[in-house]
């Protein structure tokens, strides 16, 4: 999941500061999550998916498609 988030950040020119602001957490909290000192919560993951307009499956590595099929 972290690799997908980092790729999305790189592709969209989003910094850790930007992501922290979007999630409503400190930059240190984001750094801790990226370095495995704390975990992303379900709320974090959902907000990240919404922010980058990707599916949760893509974000957690269950799909290579960024957007899910809508039926």
């Amino acid at each position: 999941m972290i690799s997908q988030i980092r790729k999305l950040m790189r592709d969209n020119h989003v910094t850790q500061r930007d992501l922290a602001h979007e999630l409503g957490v400190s930059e240190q909290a984001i750094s801790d999550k990226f370095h495995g000192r704390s975990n992303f919560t379900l709320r974090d993951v959902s907000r990240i998916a919404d922010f980058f307009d990707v599916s949760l499956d893509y974000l957690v590595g269950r799909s290579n498609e960024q957007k899910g099929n809508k039926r």
Side-chain angles (χ1 to χ4, degrees):
M1 176 175 68
I2 291 174
S3 61
Q4 283 90 336
I5 296 170
R6 285 190 188 277
K7 180 182 182 328
L8 287 166
M9 290 172 65
R10 193 172 40 253
D11 291 350
N12 292 281
H13 309 286
V14 172
T15 65
Q16 284 190 13
R17 175 178 285 164
D18 298 332
L19 190 59
H21 177 74
E22 182 63 27
L23 298 180
V25 299
S26 69
E27 290 178 58
Q28 185 61 52
I30 290 295
S31 178
D32 289 346
K33 293 171 191 286
F34 277 115
H35 289 94
R37 294 185 289 265
S38 65
N39 295 316
F40 284 96
T41 65
L42 182 56
R43 180 179 175 193
D44 294 337
V45 175
S46 178
R47 285 184 170 181
I48 292 168
D50 288 346
F51 179 69
F52 288 111
D53 195 29
V54 297
S55 70
L56 287 171
D57 281 345
Y58 173 78
L59 203 55
V60 298
R62 291 181 44 158
S63 171
N64 291 327
E65 298 294 322
Q66 287 189 0
K67 294 298 286 182
N69 291 336
K70 296 185 179 180
R71 298 178 196 212

